[in-house]
Amino acid sequence: MSRSPANPAAAKLPPPPSTRAKRRTAPIGPPPTDVSLAEEVGTGFLNVAGTVGGMAVLGFQILRRLLTLRIDGEEVMRNLYKMGVKSIPIVIVTALFTGSLVVIQAAPLVVRIGAHGLLGWAAGFSILREIAPLLTALMINGRVGANNTAELGTMVVTEQIDALRVLAIDPIAFLIAPRFIAMVVTLYLSTIFADTLALLGASVGGYALLGVEPKTFYNGVTMGLLGVNDVLSGIIKSIVFGIVIGLSSCTYGLSVKGGAPGVGRAVNATVVTSAAGIFVVDYFVSFTLD
C-alpha cells in the first residue's frame, strides 16, 4: 500500500535553480588535488625565497648601522640582560643533563672495549664540537627568538614602530640592531658556559655510572687528542647560530600582519624557520671547518 506525499504540490516542483546551475557547471578536468599541491609547493617556495631575501636586506641594514655606530647602547645592555642573564637557568639544566646523557649513550661501548680512559676524549669531542652549541641554540631559539618576534610583532600591530618613524627615530638603530647584537653575544657566551657545564655533567655521570674518576675523565679531555680547532668549531657555530636566530626573529617580527593572530603565526614561523636554519648552516659550517 503506497502512501501519498504530505504535500502533493511540493512533490511536483522542479529542483531549485541553484542545484540545476551546479549540475550544469560541474568542473571537467584533472582532480583539483593536483592543482592544490602544485600551488602549495609554489607558494611555499616563494615564501622561503621571500623570507631569505627579507633576512638578507635586514642584515645589510643592521650591518650599515654597525659600521656607522648608530646603535642604542642602553638598548643593547637591556637586551643582553633579558636574553642572556634570564636564559642562564635553562642553559644550566640543558647542559648538565646533556653531558650525562652522552655518558649514558657511550657507557655500553666503553664497558665492552674497556676504554674508560678515553671517556673524557669521547665526551669532549661530541660536546665541544656539536652537542653543546646545537642544543644551546635550539633552547635559546625557543625562549629568546620567539619572545623577540612577539615583542616586535606587537609593536607593529599597535603601530609603535610607525610612531618611532614619526618621531624621526630609526627603528633599525634603536630596536633591531641592539637585539641582533644581544642575540649573537648571548649565543656566544651561553655556548662557552654550556661547554663547561656539559663536561662537568659528563664527569659526574662517568663517575656515577662507570666509576671513572673525574681526574681520569679530565685527563682524557686535555691529554692532546682534542685540539684548539675542536673548541673553535663550536664557538664559530654559536656565532653563526646567533646570526640566524637574530635575523629570523627580527624579520618575522617586523612583517607581522593580521593583528594578534598574525603575531602568533609569526612566532610559530620564527621557531620553525630558525630551527631548520640552524641545522642547515650547521651542516655547511661543519663541512667547511672539517
Side-chain angles (χ1 to χ4, degrees):
M1 180 178 181
S2 63
R3 298 179 59 186
S4 60
N7 188 358
K12 296 179 180 178
L13 290 177
S18 58
T19 305
R20 287 183 294 171
K22 289 180 180 178
R23 290 176 180 173
R24 287 198 301 267
T25 59
I28 300 175
T33 53
D34 297 339
V35 178
S36 300
L37 179 61
E39 289 179 349
E40 289 181 2
V41 172
T43 303
F45 179 79
L46 291 177
N47 289 335
V48 172
T51 300
V52 174
M55 291 171 62
V57 172
L58 184 61
F60 176 76
Q61 293 176 337
I62 293 174
L63 179 62
R64 193 168 63 178
R65 267 70 171 185
L66 289 175
L67 294 178
T68 55
L69 300 178
R70 294 166 54 194
I71 303 171
D72 191 293
E74 294 183 1
E75 191 70 10
V76 173
M77 299 304 295
R78 193 176 72 84
N79 281 283
L80 277 175
Y81 173 76
K82 185 175 61 178
M83 296 179 182
V85 176
K86 291 192 174 182
S87 298
I88 288 177
I90 194 171
V91 172
I92 291 175
V93 174
T94 303
L96 286 176
F97 282 92
T98 297
S100 300
L101 286 173
V102 169
V103 172
I104 291 175
Q105 297 298 325
L109 182 62
V110 171
V111 172
R112 185 183 306 171
I113 64 176
H116 293 76
L118 294 176
L119 180 63
W121 166 77
F125 184 84
S126 57
I127 288 173
L128 296 176
R129 292 184 68 94
E130 196 62 51
I131 295 177
L134 187 62
L135 291 183
T136 303
L138 292 176
M139 297 306 295
I140 295 294
N141 175 45
R143 201 196 80 81
V144 179
N147 183 66
N148 191 35
T149 300
E151 286 187 356
L152 291 176
T154 303
M155 290 181 183
V156 171
V157 171
T158 56
E159 299 181 349
Q160 296 181 49
I161 303 292
D162 294 334
L164 290 177
R165 293 193 178 98
V166 171
L167 295 173
I169 298 176
D170 183 6
I172 303 296
F174 181 68
L175 285 177
I176 307 304
R179 291 168 186 263
F180 176 79
I181 295 173
M183 188 75 73
V184 175
V185 174
T186 295
L187 258 296
Y188 171 76
L189 297 178
S190 297
T191 299
I192 296 176
F193 190 45
D195 286 343
T196 306
L197 290 177
L199 290 176
L200 176 62
S203 67
V204 173
Y207 180 72
L209 294 176
L210 302 172
V212 178
E213 294 289 340
K215 182 179 179 180
T216 305
F217 179 88
Y218 287 111
N219 282 338
V221 176
T222 59
M223 65 182 179
L225 294 177
L226 291 177
V228 178
N229 291 334
D230 297 316
V231 181
L232 291 180
S233 176
I235 300 300
I236 293 173
K237 286 180 181 178
S238 70
I239 296 173
V240 179
F241 294 161
I243 293 174
V244 171
I245 298 174
L247 288 179
S248 176
S249 61
C250 292
T251 300
Y252 278 107
L254 292 176
S255 61
V256 166
K257 295 179 181 178
V263 176
R265 290 192 295 270
V267 170
N268 182 58
T270 294
V271 174
V272 175
T273 303
S274 297
I278 286 171
F279 284 105
V280 171
V281 298
D282 186 21
Y283 171 81
F284 286 105
V285 172
S286 299
F287 182 79
T288 303
L289 296 179
D290 292 341

